[in-house]
Amino acid sequence: MKSFTYERARSTAHAAAAASQPGVKIIAGGTNLLDLMKLQIETPSTLVDINHLPLDKVEETTDGGLRIGALVRNSDLAADLRVRQHYGVLSRALLAGASAQLRNKATTAGNLLQRTRCYYFYDISKPCNKRVPGSGCSALAGFNRIHAILGGSDDCIATHPSDMAVAMRALDAEVETIDREGKTRRIPIAEFHRLPGNTPEVDSTLTPGEIVTAVTLPPPPPGTQVYRKVRDRASYAFAPVSVAAIIDNVRGRVRSARLAFGGLAPKPWRVAAAEQILANTAADARAIDATADAALKGARGFGANDFKIPLTRRTLHGVLGEIART
Amino acid sequence: MNDDQHILPTIEVTRRTVIETGTTALLLGALPHVSVAADAAQGGPCPISAELRVNGHPHKLVLDPRTTLLDALREHLGFTGTKKGCDHGQCGACTVLVEGRRINSCLTLAVMHDGQSVTTIEGLASGEDLHPMQAAFIEYDGFQCGYCTSGQICSAVGMLTESRGGAPSYVTADLTRPAVELSDDEIRERMSGNICRCAAYPNIVAAIKEAAGKMT
Ligand SMILES: Cc1cc2nc3c(=O)[nH]c(=O)nc-3n(C[C@H](O)[C@H](O)[C@H](O)COP(=O)(O)OP(=O)(O)OC[C@H]3O[C@@H](n4cnc5c(N)ncnc54)[C@H](O)[C@@H]3O)c2cc1C
Ligand code: SF4
Ligand code: FES
Ligand code: FES
């Protein structure tokens, strides 16, 4: 690990002002940042510790939603009874991520801003445009089993590894931020993570120094909420494919559907056309196939990740079948 | 992978402590918020003070800020019961309890825990009396080589606190119920952050079940 200066943030505004300086990084749970610093993938000259800021509450909003502080630990959010009762998809997605020890440290903001698990991003002896802009992408023609089939570019096909973010995408969450001038804004989760294009080194639409202060959830949507994670072992593994589904079924017909996919793209993937196709059907096999076709429109495998296309289709059948039975 | 090369030998810390004590102590005393500039001239780390309460006893430390909680416990305080497996959050061997909650001590900095209490495997027994979880691991042979064991035991103790508090897991069928029952599947899922290279898993589950029963 490279040497750095350690500071504690006095306020969110102070943290934002500090973090807008080159070489300065915010540390929350540290479970992603320290991992990357040990490998010298991240080499901040200053770490600003925000763990003492009062951003660790889950509060009800006046419109009947929830406001989740940036420092709420993943385990506390998953265990919050309001989340378990009204946003089950989020609780389940959080519980599907990492391990209990990691969730006890990992924070809401840190989870959203965790970086890709692309093997070549982690291997500093290999070219990687995300780590070293312009050096090339080792995954395109390399081993790309965990890589994107949607949303990638000729410069990067990394996936975003968060489970939590996939559920938040299905819930239409908004990310609240404060910038170095003290200005706040709300970013719809759909616009928070960016596609790589020709600047894969930038993961999110945050401006330099902009700090996440909270994530807000609108009032719970009607319907059954499910998060299904498919992985190589039963627990403590990242998802090649995951689905967050919120399906409102009335007497055997789908009234409304929300489907967000993880493991497929550089950001949680949601296709409005696919949800519309599923709506007003009985969610029979044909309707699910048509939904999967729309969700996977433009999907492209790179060899080792070809399997994600049929796996996504099957996972969708599994999830919608499960909901139909409940 | 191994960060040992970054740990300042204790002697070095002591020498630096002497040199830096004046300014460091002043800074820490005068300001509620710590801010220590890196030792630019040497390009080296600038030590920083932290107090950890380990197993009930306060320890004042002067550390390179890069020191993980794991390295502070093992290399600076001699609590070698906590093990380093992967050093990247992937195995659970380094699990300790901070303020009663289980975390991976390899993925956190010691200075981030200034003023907090840490329980390691060395702090679970009361005198000669083993903690019920330790006793159950022995009774049920919950280990082979033993390398993962201190992490398993600390993790299991933290896990019981979580499940008693009603925290659900990925395999909890009904998330809306505030209480959970610890089936074997629940124990396996909740303990999945602790890998055992010897695959002593069946006996680990049995030991935890036994201890959970005894600790009610
Ligand atoms: C072995 C292992 C397995 C894992 N498995 C999974 C998994 O299955 N699913 C999953 O989703 N995740 C998984 N994770 C990742 C884990 O969820 C993340 O490491 C964690 O959520 C990051 O949160 P943190 O608070 O520790 O972030 P940190 O490491 O503290 O920070 C991460 C990034 O966010 C920035 N940041 C933090 N807070 C703010 C803020 N308020 N404003 C602006 N920037 C901020 C930091 O500067 C840093 O760049 C795994 C991790 C490990 C080590
Ligand atoms: S996929 Fe992205 S992160 Fe992975 S090697 Fe290519 S550029 Fe780097
Ligand atoms: S040593 Fe910390 S998780 Fe492996
Ligand atoms: S007993 Fe050997 S690693 Fe678990």
Side-chain angles (χ1 to χ4, degrees):
Chain A
M1 208 186 288
K2 291 263 198 246
S3 188
F4 56 83
T5 303
Y6 172 83
E7 284 183 20
R8 282 192 197 135
R10 288 185 284 276
S11 64
T12 45
H14 167 237
S20 65
Q21 303 302 310
V24 180
K25 274 258 165 203
I26 297 290
I27 187 161
T31 60
N32 188 229
L33 185 56
L34 290 171
D35 192 9
L36 295 171
M37 284 169 64
K38 287 182 183 198
L39 300 167
Q40 300 196 7
I41 295 160
E42 300 273 16
T43 52
S45 53
T46 300
L47 274 191
V48 177
D49 183 352
I50 60 169
N51 282 287
H52 302 79
L53 298 179
L55 301 172
D56 58 349
K57 301 273 180 320
V58 182
E59 299 156 324
E60 283 151 41
T61 58
T62 47
D63 69 349
L66 282 183
R67 184 171 185 275
I68 304 156
L71 286 171
V72 174
R73 307 290 154 174
N74 288 178
S75 51
D76 294 332
L77 185 57
D80 189 294
L81 267 176
R82 295 164 293 187
V83 178
R84 284 153 71 177
Q85 282 165 356
H86 305 299
Y87 302 96
V89 67
L90 177 57
S91 199
R92 193 74 74 183
L94 284 159
L95 294 169
S99 68
Q101 288 97 313
L102 288 160
R103 293 191 296 269
N104 275 341
K105 276 251 117 197
T107 63
T108 310
N111 191 316
L112 281 178
L113 288 160
Q114 62 174 300
R115 309 213 65 192
T116 185
R117 308 304 285 203
C118 169
Y119 331 108
Y120 305 106
F121 177 73
Y122 265 80
D123 180 351
I124 55 169
S125 71
K126 296 288 191 309
C128 166
N129 287 324
K130 196 184 262 306
R131 183 168 30 76
V132 183
S135 61
C137 171
S138 301
L140 283 167
F143 186 59
N144 43 40
R145 187 169 183 275
I146 63 170
H147 290 77
I149 55 170
L150 289 159
S153 72
D154 292 344
D155 288 327
C156 180
I157 51 168
T159 49
H160 194 270
S162 169
D163 289 291
M164 180 194 80
V166 179
M168 286 181 171
R169 179 72 184 91
L171 290 165
D172 283 328
E174 287 189 324
V175 183
E176 285 184 21
T177 67
I178 183 165
D179 71 9
R180 59 188 142 177
E181 269 122 38
K183 276 212 302 284
T184 60
R185 64 168 175 148
R186 290 163 76 120
I187 309 169
I189 185 93
E191 289 157 31
F192 183 77
H193 297 106
R194 50 184 299 288
L195 296 182
N198 56 13
T199 50
E201 67 278 14
V202 189
D203 292 351
S204 78
T205 53
L206 293 179
T207 58
E210 193 172 4
I211 300 281
V212 174
T213 48
V215 171
T216 50
L217 302 179
T224 306
Q225 302 184 12
V226 170
Y227 188 75
R228 172 83 67 97
K229 181 173 181 179
V230 182
R231 41 188 159 172
D232 294 329
R233 59 183 185 195
S235 185
Y236 202 13
F238 288 94
V241 172
S242 71
V243 179
I246 305 176
I247 309 289
D248 189 18
N249 266 325
V250 182
R251 286 183 296 279
R253 287 195 81 76
V254 175
R255 191 154 59 181
S256 68
R258 299 182 185 198
L259 298 167
F261 296 87
L264 305 187
K267 61 195 275 186
W269 202 252
R270 206 174 147 185
V271 179
E275 297 174 0
Q276 280 151 18
I277 286 172
L278 190 61
N280 296 314
T281 71
D284 53 292
R286 265 204 16 226
I288 298 172
D289 272 330
T291 306
D293 286 341
L296 288 164
K297 190 163 173 247
R300 169 181 171 209
F302 293 85
N305 66 351
D306 293 350
F307 76 101
K308 286 189 178 185
I309 297 173
L311 183 59
T312 304
R313 193 174 281 283
R314 288 187 198 132
T315 307
L316 194 60
H317 274 277
V319 165
L320 295 176
E322 177 187 333
I323 292 176
R325 285 191 299 276
T326 54
Chain B
M1 289 271 182
N2 196 309
D3 263 11
D4 282 349
Q5 68 267 27
H6 296 313
I7 302 160
L8 294 175
T10 311
I11 259 181
E12 171 76 354
V13 170
T14 312
R15 185 182 62 79
R16 281 173 174 275
T17 315
V18 174
I19 299 168
E20 306 263 352
T21 298
T23 37
T24 313
L26 203 79
L27 256 172
L28 294 177
L31 297 171
H33 309 289
V34 186
S35 173
V36 182
D39 192 337
Q42 296 185 18
C46 181
I48 177 162
S49 304
E51 185 172 311
L52 298 176
R53 198 171 173 82
V54 185
N55 301 328
H57 301 286
H59 294 272
K60 276 203 178 359
L61 288 163
V62 179
L63 298 166
D64 178 327
R66 290 175 291 189
T67 315
T68 60
L69 178 59
L70 174 61
D71 287 338
L73 289 169
R74 286 182 56 85
E75 314 297 334
H76 294 264
L77 296 171
F79 291 106
T80 50
T82 307
K83 300 295 184 239
K84 183 183 285 191
C86 63
D87 213 20
H88 286 275
Q90 297 171 1
C91 75
C94 65
T95 305
V96 298
L97 303 166
V98 172
E99 301 288 328
R101 285 162 68 111
R102 53 177 169 162
I103 65 162
N104 297 317
S105 60
C106 71
L107 278 191
T108 192
L109 300 172
V111 291
M112 291 164 69
H113 297 282
D114 185 25
Q116 294 187 335
S117 76
V118 182
T119 306
T120 67
I121 189 74
E122 290 93 342
L124 287 179
S126 5
E128 291 299 298
D129 293 332
L130 290 181
H131 186 282
M133 193 63 75
Q134 292 173 305
F137 266 70
I138 291 173
E139 191 184 333
Y140 284 83
D141 249 341
F143 48 83
Q144 286 182 38
C145 76
Y147 197 81
C148 72
T149 312
S150 47
Q152 300 275 3
I153 292 176
C154 286
S155 183
V157 170
M159 185 275 281
L160 286 187
T161 310
E162 292 162 12
S163 58
R164 291 204 172 126
S169 85
Y170 186 64
V171 302
T172 306
D174 183 359
L175 289 177
T176 62
R177 288 189 43 204
V180 284
E181 261 171 58
L182 272 191
S183 63
D184 287 6
D185 275 353
E186 283 281 0
I187 293 175
R188 279 190 207 104
E189 166 59 26
R190 288 164 191 269
M191 291 297 294
S192 72
N194 291 85
I195 309 287
C196 176
R197 182 68 176 77
C198 304
Y201 297 114
N203 294 0
I204 292 172
V205 173
I208 293 173
K209 246 191 148 165
E210 161 84 5
K214 282 211 172 125
M215 284 165 66
T216 45

